[in-house]
Amino acid sequence: MTAQILEEIGTLAEQRLVLPSYYTWEQFEAIEILMADTPGLRITYFDGCVEFMTLSEQHEMIKTILGFLIELYFCEINIRVIPVGSATRRDKTKDVSFEPDESYYIGEKKEHPDLAVEVAITSGNSIKLAKYQRLKIAEVWIWENNQLSIYRLQGDDYQQISRSEFLPNLDLDLLVRCVLMPSIFEARNEFIKGIS
């Protein structure tokens, strides 16, 4: 089965594959070990479901430029931040393991980051948000269809909001416009000019 999965995943630029069944945490960890040497493969676990994902060049380009501009903004407005990228977030007791595309502690380090960023090329928001909800991550930004949506944890549910509570003065239209520019130099210059 492993060879078949690898062959299917390797043939497409980006793909999602969910194993049909319920898997225990221990079975998930065994699958992770089996697949550990597969480059470019992400494995997530949520309520007994194991999902494999490959990342396309388009996904990585958007993620990288978005992260670059967000970090530039933190630096320019002098907010203390600890970027931790796609470090795996996992909790056996909550049946969840996943990797955000980008994540940040704002201020000081805590149990989990305050802000996470997801680029959704082939998968939807509801499952992504449910994973973050388990770990009580305060704010999740989801890029999908060349738009950025911001979700804030309020009580036990995420609510879509129009502005980040962490970065209330960030012009989201400017950020999106700059991410979509063909040149990272042009994007940086336009972004700096727009936030000055």
Side-chain angles (χ1 to χ4, degrees), residues 81-100:
V81 64
I82 304 167
V84 289
S86 61
T88 302
R89 313 312 324 166
R90 64 190 298 139
D91 190 324
K92 179 180 179 178
T93 64
K94 295 179 181 174
D95 262 352
V96 66
S97 177
F98 63 94
E99 298 171 17

Side-chain angles (χ1 to χ4, degrees), residues 22 49 53 56 66 77 86 89 107 123 125 130 174 189 192:
Y22 174 86
C49 288
M53 269 183 301
S56 69
L66 188 55
I77 65 167
S86 61
R89 313 312 324 166
S123 54
N125 296 351
L174 170 68
N189 294 340
I192 291 290

Side-chain angles (χ1 to χ4, degrees), residues 28-133:
F28 162 65
E29 287 182 324
I31 291 169
E32 274 188 315
I33 291 167
L34 280 172
M35 307 303 278
D37 294 330
T38 308
L41 180 66
R42 281 193 180 172
I43 305 171
T44 65
Y45 181 81
F46 185 66
D47 285 345
C49 288
V50 177
E51 178 183 47
F52 298 93
M53 269 183 301
T54 60
L55 304 176
S56 69
E57 195 171 272
Q58 178 191 10
H59 176 281
E60 291 298 280
M61 183 178 67
I62 291 170
K63 173 200 86 99
T64 302
I65 294 170
L66 188 55
F68 168 72
L69 294 174
I70 291 169
E71 290 163 25
L72 183 61
Y73 188 78
F74 279 124
C75 291
E76 289 294 314
I77 65 167
N78 209 20
I79 289 181
R80 188 168 173 239
V81 64
I82 304 167
V84 289
S86 61
T88 302
R89 313 312 324 166
R90 64 190 298 139
D91 190 324
K92 179 180 179 178
T93 64
K94 295 179 181 174
D95 262 352
V96 66
S97 177
F98 63 94
E99 298 171 17
D101 287 316
E102 297 290 346
S103 54
Y104 306 92
Y105 294 100
I106 297 174
E108 60 189 42
K109 199 168 179 186
K110 305 157 192 83
E111 182 180 8
H112 296 292
D114 300 292
L115 170 63
V117 178
E118 283 284 342
V119 175
I121 301 292
T122 61
S123 54
N125 296 351
S126 59
I127 294 294
K128 287 186 184 297
L129 287 174
K131 292 174 186 175
Y132 286 102
Q133 184 181 19

Side-chain angles (χ1 to χ4, degrees), residues 113-114 129-141 150-161 165-166:
D114 300 292
L129 287 174
K131 292 174 186 175
Y132 286 102
Q133 184 181 19
R134 291 277 168 90
L135 302 182
K136 304 287 186 205
I137 293 178
E139 213 167 271
V140 180
W141 297 12
I150 305 220
Y151 297 88
R152 183 76 182 190
L153 190 61
Q154 297 176 351
D156 288 331
D157 292 316
Y158 282 102
Q159 302 296 320
Q160 188 169 357
I161 57 176
E165 289 188 23
F166 290 122

